[in-house]
Amino acid sequence: QVQLVESGGGLVQAGDSLRLSCAASGRTFSNYAMGWFRQAPGKERDLVAATRWSGSNTYYAGSAKGRFTISRDNGKSMVYLQMNSLKPDDTALYYCAASEVSLLGPYDYWGQGTQVTVSS
């Protein structure tokens, strides 16, 4: 069984920063890709950023490039998403997920989500 638990969401103002955290447990993730997704009300869930657990390959959606940084601490089984220069359009429920296949998925394991709200 795989467990993913997100934390770090909140209410911030435009231009602020937030760091989301994801704690992974239950499996060895050395060969897994880890990703951050987000879903705004009425919209589909989109991949924002992803990283190989044991490598340096990363992926960023266009909306995240230059503002968001995904990182991981293998010793602590943690994945982070540093979000800078936040915009109201970044408001969404953010999910951590794990894939056995690739950065682009499919993603098999999901956390419960953490809400990020950016006010203008």
Side-chain angles (χ1 to χ4, degrees):
Q1 190 71 17
V2 174
Q3 294 87 35
L4 300 172
V5 179
E6 304 96 335
S7 61
L11 172 63
V12 296
Q13 292 186 334
D16 286 350
S17 298
L18 272 179
R19 189 178 81 155
L20 305 183
S21 300
C22 174
S25 62
R27 295 284 297 271
T28 301
F29 286 93
S30 60
N31 292 323
Y32 289 16
M34 299 297 295
W36 284 98
F37 288 74
R38 69 185 184 187
Q39 186 169 22
K43 296 186 178 180
E44 294 186 352
R45 186 179 300 184
D46 293 323
L47 178 62
V48 175
T51 180
R52 293 290 297 182
W53 192 261
S54 57
S56 60
N57 290 354
T58 56
Y59 164 85
Y60 292 97
S63 59
K65 287 182 180 178
R67 299 189 300 127
F68 294 2
T69 302
I70 189 170
S71 62
R72 78 275 189 206
D73 184 333
N74 292 345
K76 295 181 179 180
S77 296
M78 296 289 294
V79 179
Y80 306 99
L81 184 67
Q82 177 67 42
M83 304 186 294
N84 299 327
S85 301
L86 283 163
K87 305 174 182 180
D89 284 349
D90 295 317
T91 295
L93 189 59
Y94 283 72
Y95 296 91
C96 174
S99 172
E100 300 180 27
V101 179
S102 75
L103 293 178
L104 299 182
Y107 281 81
D108 305 298
Y109 308 105
W110 296 84
Q112 82 289 349
T114 185
Q115 178 68 38
V116 172
T117 303
V118 184
S119 64
S120 57

